[in-house]
Amino acid sequence: MVEVFNMEGMPVYKLRSKEEDAFAVSDLEGKGLPCGIYFVRIKKAHGIETAKLLIC
């Protein structure tokens, strides 16, 4: 599962997918997200990974 949060911690995008599906930042294009800093949380079977994302 991929979740995207804004700087206030509010969820702005969620993608439930299978383990073998790949996620690309281009998947967020056209979602209407304004320029800014976001946090991406990726949950997999072996753990959770969080990263910053800058959209302009």
Side-chain angles (χ1 to χ4, degrees), residues 1-3 13-18 21:
M1 176 170 29
V2 176
E3 296 175 290
Y13 179 76
K14 185 180 282 189
L15 172 68
R16 295 184 188 270
S17 64
K18 297 179 182 175
D21 291 344

Side-chain angles (χ1 to χ4, degrees), residues 4-29:
V4 179
F5 299 89
N6 62 16
M7 288 292 289
E8 297 174 352
M10 302 296 295
V12 295
Y13 179 76
K14 185 180 282 189
L15 172 68
R16 295 184 188 270
S17 64
K18 297 179 182 175
E19 281 289 320
E20 55 275 349
D21 291 344
F23 170 75
V25 175
S26 60
D27 293 342
L28 296 174
E29 292 178 0

